[in-house]
Amino acid sequence: MSTITQFEHWIGGIQVPPVTGRYLDSTSPHDGEVVFRIADGSPEDVEQAVTRAHQAQPAWGRTTTAERSRILKAIAAGMREDIDWLVELECAETGKLPAHARVEMLASADYFDYYGSVVRTLAGDTIDQGPRNLTYTRHEPYGVVAVITPWNGALNQGARGIAPALAAGNTVVLKPSEFTSATSLELGRIATEAGLPDGVLGVVTGLGPTVGVPLVSHPLVRRVGFTGSVATGQAIGRIAAERVIPVGLELGGKSPIVVFADADLDGAAKAAATGILANSGQICWTTTRLLVERSAQDELVRRIGLILNAKRPGVDFGPIITSPQFDKVLGMLDTARQEGARAAFGGHKCKDGVPERGLYIQPTVLTDVKPDMQAAREEFFGPVLATMPFDTEDEAVALANDSEYGLFGAVWSGDTARAIAVAHRIESGQVTVNGGAMGNETPFGGYKMSGIGREKGIEGLYEYTQLKTVSVGLPDLGTE
Ligand code: NAD
């Protein structure tokens, strides 16, 4: 991209410059070049977006589910039409491989298709209270919903919250990460062009303290959907608790992949390697603790290494998306070595074949990791796998659950019954067995410190509704 594109907020169906007139630089992690200038939002900008969203909500909430479905599907179609542009923007800000970004953008569009479909099944219950009452429940929107997203998959995580929130009749103000705002702003434009009424979706960019905090604190915001770090989730949760508004938290993970010696070792090796290659491990649910039956450890690590050694930076895997995150991963690798872990593969930043300022880190497999080391406990959020052996099924389960997180898990074994039994014992919101699939239809969310609430699937729709019970006293018609 030759010229630097400047992005404004998207408020009330149009571009709106920041009240302060200030912009933030967005840089490419591939080579450190500034690629975009993004509106640096302030509480005044938040006020504007929330006010517009509040004004737009009653009419939007009164539309039929069929009408909302039609518009959501038009948004999906608009995103697919602009897919090349969205991929270009995402790759410029994140350094992602275009093929990876395309899959992610298409999955983002699919959220609008999916919730555009399932919203037509939105239904309450009737409750039998005898012949003189008609009692029923309604799933009603909250009003204005705030959606706040991180930098590793901004559009995807935004769509995951926005699509069900809009489907349920809420209006939304989105605050994407200051590092990766472009695709979210483009979603605002696409949604307006697809027929979404002005004000129903606003996008305000900027920093946590000046945009995120005022947004969550705003008296007209009635629910928050947050994806990001535990620390920020806790801070938002404190504000939400004061205001007594519900908050969905999709936080971090340190997910185990448990491999028994009787497993398809090639399949397990491929899954473990893909977990740290895809988006260079910057996926909250990716499996980053390799728990392997001791007798298979050397062979499994060897096979993972064969896959990783063939991968080239910038071709087969992308960079770390932000500079602070790059420093964090390298710092944690240093600590891992100091604490006695060994890098069987990788372990350093990439020097060859990448621009000097490229934030690339070698896909890394750590061995000699002990359960109390930082490498076993804390989220790298980078391309690092921490390997620990086990001898028994109970030990495997204990190791898998020895984490404050509980987002995801994977089990590999030739004995499917055993693998399922282990999957049931893992404390996490989702578990795959022998490479089972997850998609937009499958509920997603964390146990323990990985979060509160569920997104994706039909459950994700109901998270954005509040339940009302209505009871109608019927006249005595003298029929009894
Ligand atoms: P982060 O918590 O630093 O930032 C997330 C968002 O919150 C950003 O938009 C940021 O500007 C905003 N923010 C920061 N401080 C705020 C405050 N005080 N109030 C309101 N908003 C504030 O997270 P990050 O570094 O962008 O993302 C990485 C983290 O996200 C990792 O821990 C990762 O595991 C997690 N994550 C979780 C999921 C999931 O679905 N569970 C998905 C992706 C990433």
Side-chain angles (χ1 to χ4, degrees), residues 291-321:
L291 312 180
V292 51
E293 195 164 357
R294 195 178 302 275
S295 59
Q297 179 177 220
D298 291 348
E299 181 56 21
L300 182 63
V301 169
R302 188 186 72 79
R303 291 191 201 190
I304 294 170
L306 281 178
I307 299 172
L308 298 183
N309 280 342
K311 303 298 180 191
R312 294 151 300 166
V315 179
D316 301 306
F317 63 92
I320 299 298
I321 294 170

Side-chain angles (χ1 to χ4, degrees), residues 149-151 157 160 175 178 227-229 232 250-252 284 379:
T149 52
W151 41 259
Q157 287 139 0
R160 196 174 71 190
K175 183 240 172 290
E178 55 275 26
T227 304
S229 65
T232 308
E250 297 287 354
L251 309 177
C284 52
E379 187 183 39

